[in-house]
Amino acid sequence: MNQTPDLLRQLAHDPAGAEDYDPNAMSVSQARQYIQQFLTPVQQTERLSIKQALGRVLASPIASTLNVPGHNNSAMDGFAFRLAEASQPLRIVGTAFAGKPFNGTIPAGGCIKIMTGAVIPADADTVVMQEHATVTGEHVSIQKLPGKGANIRLLGEDIAIGQTVLATGHTLQPADMGLLASLGVAEIEVYRRLKVAFFTTGDELVSVGQPLQAGQIYDSNRYSLWGMLQALGAEVEDLGNIADNPQALEHTLLQAAARFDVVITSGGVSVGEADFMKQLLATHGQVLFWKINMKPGRPLAYGKLGQAHYFGLPGNPVATMVTFYQFVQTALKTLMGSHERAQPSFKVACVSPIKKAAGRTEFQRGILFNDGADWKVKTTGEQGSGILSSMSQANCFILLDEASGPLPAGSWVEVQPFTGIF
Ligand code: AMP
Ligand code: MG
């Protein structure tokens, strides 16, 4: 962090300045790139049983010590036989159950009854499903001859011995827990949890449970930040609401930077408010205050405070959430060791007209819905950065790039669904 690239230093702006379109403000992608270069994942690891590992990031790859399936087995309830002998009725000489193989040999003109998952005897080559066969006493005639090798799942067709099934950096999903169990893996090595602390600033803020005096508002960012960090699987500590007072802010910041991997603040980075925080962060760390060419979420600070990464998010409740999802979340995933970056987005028709000024990226709140035939999106209405109910109602961001201006109803827009990024 000692050397700030010149271009980026030029683009790192004093927060005091015009609120309108600023050709020197930093673009969303420049800010992301800038942050990304300082992120080194946590190194420490721990061993966990697979049941405890949901959402954790693998610290070493998993290679299979087994073939899955471990034997050729039947994909159907039916009969196993040699296809060359199946033009006439076959005599049933035994039964193979899942977990209880048929251990005999199948004589010429013979077959066995076989259940799904049961081992295919070495001397059978084909399975017919029972619905395509007719049993008369001890014999079975096959109504509809399948192709040779039909209805047999082959040894190792899912996973072969030695194959890497999960790579380092993979985040454990429910399917992975089952997959690991299917390989007999009981414990895995994961990166330790990321330690993240946050506090909010603002003299006007009151904690829930306290009465509101005139002009005060409840501190909602503490709760949205708590939720977003919990959902990411971080070890989170809420340091509370700190008054706009230099000593209190300094004390809290320094304590937090010494104890946590990441410190996040909300408020105090916007025009006219940033002075305390700016001075503090200049004294104790290397932090840049940016005006990002985006809406909501124009002011943003990022840098290092000792070993800790620092993110200063704007106080407006929607801006706090949008900047978290668009900058902080990806950065935290990198720090957690995760290799999965891409957040899905795709294009759908938007049934509402969109108000948008060209020259900045906007993250409007949208509702994806199905009109009976197709998935479409509508906006949540007013897009002010204080309207937190818009985030609650929405199920996606509508991503509008710098170039786009206002759009008539029916335009195709890029959406980023919340499920998949939250
Ligand atoms: P700031 O970024 O501190 O200038 O705050 C911008 C706006 O967001 C102001 O209207 C603040 O009252 C509001 N705000 C700041 N912090 C919070 C918070 N933690 N919860 C709710 N609103 C906040
Ligand atoms: Mg404030």
Side-chain angles (χ1 to χ4, degrees):
M1 192 83 203
N2 290 331
Q3 254 133 44
T4 307
D6 283 348
L7 168 72
L8 294 166
R9 193 174 282 290
Q10 276 170 27
L11 293 168
H13 267 259
D14 190 285
E19 270 301 320
D20 291 320
Y21 172 59
D22 176 348
N24 292 320
M26 199 166 198
S27 74
V28 169
S29 56
Q30 278 175 315
R32 282 188 182 135
Q33 264 176 30
Y34 180 84
I35 294 169
Q36 197 66 32
Q37 67 186 318
F38 296 107
L39 305 173
T40 317
V42 295
Q43 295 300 312
Q44 297 94 327
T45 64
E46 56 184 324
R47 283 191 79 75
L48 291 182
S49 75
I50 55 176
K51 260 193 177 169
Q52 295 174 296
L54 187 64
R56 299 297 293 270
V57 181
L58 266 184
S60 53
I62 306 288
S64 179
T65 55
L66 298 177
N67 283 309
V68 180
H71 42 256
N72 293 345
N73 70 92
S74 180
M76 295 285 174
D77 289 344
F79 299 90
F81 52 90
R82 290 177 287 271
L83 187 69
E85 298 170 7
S87 49
Q88 44 213 1
L90 299 169
R91 193 162 68 83
I92 306 167
V93 300
T95 304
F97 298 93
K100 206 169 156 220
F102 170 76
N103 289 322
T105 50
I106 303 174
C111 71
I112 61 163
K113 198 167 157 51
I114 195 161
M115 305 300 161
T116 304
V119 175
I120 305 286
D123 51 1
D125 59 27
T126 303
V127 170
V128 66
M129 65 169 95
Q130 63 190 12
E131 292 81 353
H132 292 172
T134 310
V135 178
T136 318
E138 284 201 330
H139 287 82
V140 59
S141 41
I142 297 167
Q143 310 306 313
K144 200 173 162 192
L145 266 190
K148 191 168 177 180
N151 302 315
I152 296 178
R153 303 170 181 151
L154 296 175
L155 169 117
E157 75 174 16
D158 184 359
I159 297 161
I161 285 185
Q163 190 181 326
T164 299
V165 288
L166 295 172
T168 300
H170 181 77
T171 304
L172 265 283
Q173 307 293 320
D176 304 324
M177 298 167 82
L179 180 67
L180 289 166
S182 76
L183 302 177
V185 175
E187 281 193 346
I188 55 170
E189 185 154 8
V190 298
Y191 291 112
R192 72 159 167 82
R193 275 187 206 279
L194 199 66
K195 297 181 191 135
V196 184
F198 68 87
F199 63 86
T200 57
T201 67
D203 287 339
E204 75 283 22
L205 303 174
V206 174
S207 296
V208 290
Q210 307 291 314
L212 283 182
Q213 307 298 327
Q216 295 184 322
I217 56 168
Y218 282 117
D219 183 348
S220 58
N221 291 345
R222 261 169 82 185
Y223 294 86
S224 50
L225 278 168
W226 178 265
M228 293 187 290
L229 288 163
Q230 286 270 305
L232 255 185
E235 201 176 294
V236 196
E237 195 160 316
D238 172 1
L239 301 175
N241 170 247
I242 309 298
D244 289 330
N245 155 329
Q247 284 77 39
L249 288 170
E250 181 170 35
H251 177 77
T252 313
L253 264 181
L254 292 183
Q255 292 268 311
R259 287 178 50 217
F260 296 89
D261 300 307
V262 178
V263 180
I264 299 173
T265 61
S266 103
V269 293
S270 62
V271 175
E273 270 223 333
D275 292 351
F276 290 163
M277 291 293 269
K278 251 191 102 174
Q279 265 173 29
L280 271 175
L281 292 160
T283 311
H284 299 292
Q286 289 159 309
V287 176
L288 298 179
F289 282 70
W290 291 325
K291 284 189 288 182
I292 311 275
N293 231 339
M294 68 186 274
K295 191 183 167 195
R298 191 170 157 78
L300 180 75
Y302 168 73
K304 296 285 291 273
L305 259 178
Q307 291 305 304
H309 294 267
Y310 169 76
F311 292 91
L313 307 184
N316 269 311
V318 180
T320 305
M321 295 195 75
V322 171
T323 48
F324 182 92
Y325 284 124
Q326 298 300 331
F327 297 100
V328 185
Q329 177 158 287
T330 317
L332 297 191
K333 284 187 177 170
T334 303
L335 292 173
M336 289 170 170
S338 164
H339 290 177
E340 284 125 31
R341 295 280 173 280
Q343 294 177 347
S345 65
F346 48 87
K347 287 201 157 170
V348 295
C350 181
V351 301
S352 354
I354 288 187
K355 284 194 224 159
K356 159 83 169 62
R360 65 183 179 214
T361 304
E362 292 197 14
F363 299 91
Q364 297 202 7
R365 275 73 65 209
I367 300 169
L368 277 165
F369 67 100
N370 193 298
D371 71 353
D374 296 302
W375 282 90
K376 294 191 169 150
V377 70
K378 58 187 173 191
T379 69
T380 54
E382 275 307 314
Q383 295 288 320
S385 62
I387 303 179
L388 189 52
S389 60
S390 71
M391 275 301 289
S392 247
Q393 282 168 35
N395 59 12
C396 69
F397 285 126
I398 301 175
L399 307 179
L400 301 160
D401 63 18
E402 285 187 17
S404 83
L407 298 172
S411 304
W412 282 70
V413 294
E414 183 101 1
V415 294
Q416 190 174 50
F418 286 172
T419 43
I421 71 163
F422 280 18

